[in-house]
Amino acid sequence: MGLLLQPITSDDDFKELIECEWTAYETPYNGFKEIYCPTLGTGPNAREESMKECRERQLADHKGDATSHWFKAVDSDPGQIVGGAQWNVYQENPYVNGMDHIEATWWPEGEGRRFASMGMDQWFGPRGKRMNKPHV
């Protein structure tokens, strides 16, 4: 087994990477996933439907952000994605006006959305003060 680091070059790669991401967040459990990628349904397809929504949202965010670069770690035998990372490369300060509030629009209106929005602000908020120059 050898690991290869490669850029994500297709939507199919992204699909496999997000499946890997979900497995990593679920085992062992990491509650941040439920803030950013909640499983809101209860039916037999709830997990897959949630993963699809999360994947589509992350892919749209990636494609809409020129600073975003996704990479995959691939096990050379059998050629399966076993990890990944997103890097944003900022040539200048992206937080000139501080960090914007993040509204968790992927949650329905109500207490869950307020909680998720507050969690996202707490997680990302310090960037406006601590990362206020060019950085990766």
Side-chain angles (χ1 to χ4, degrees), residues 40-96:
L40 298 173
T42 57
N45 299 321
R47 182 181 184 275
E48 281 66 33
E49 290 167 2
S50 251
M51 187 185 309
K52 181 178 185 251
E53 185 281 328
C54 182
R55 179 180 64 247
E56 289 172 354
R57 183 164 32 91
Q58 285 184 279
L59 184 58
D61 288 349
H62 167 63
K63 288 181 174 183
D65 183 352
T67 72
S68 177
H69 305 275
W70 275 92
F71 293 89
K72 59 185 176 180
V74 179
D75 181 341
S76 61
D77 182 30
Q80 177 182 7
I81 294 176
V82 295
Q86 179 191 28
W87 292 90
N88 292 85
V89 180
Y90 298 104
Q91 300 294 329
E92 54 191 46
N93 177 9
Y95 307 114
V96 172

Side-chain angles (χ1 to χ4, degrees), residues 118-131:
M118 187 172 57
M120 295 297 286
D121 284 343
Q122 288 177 358
W123 181 262
F124 291 103
R127 292 179 181 196
K129 292 179 182 170
R130 296 185 183 140
M131 304 167 92

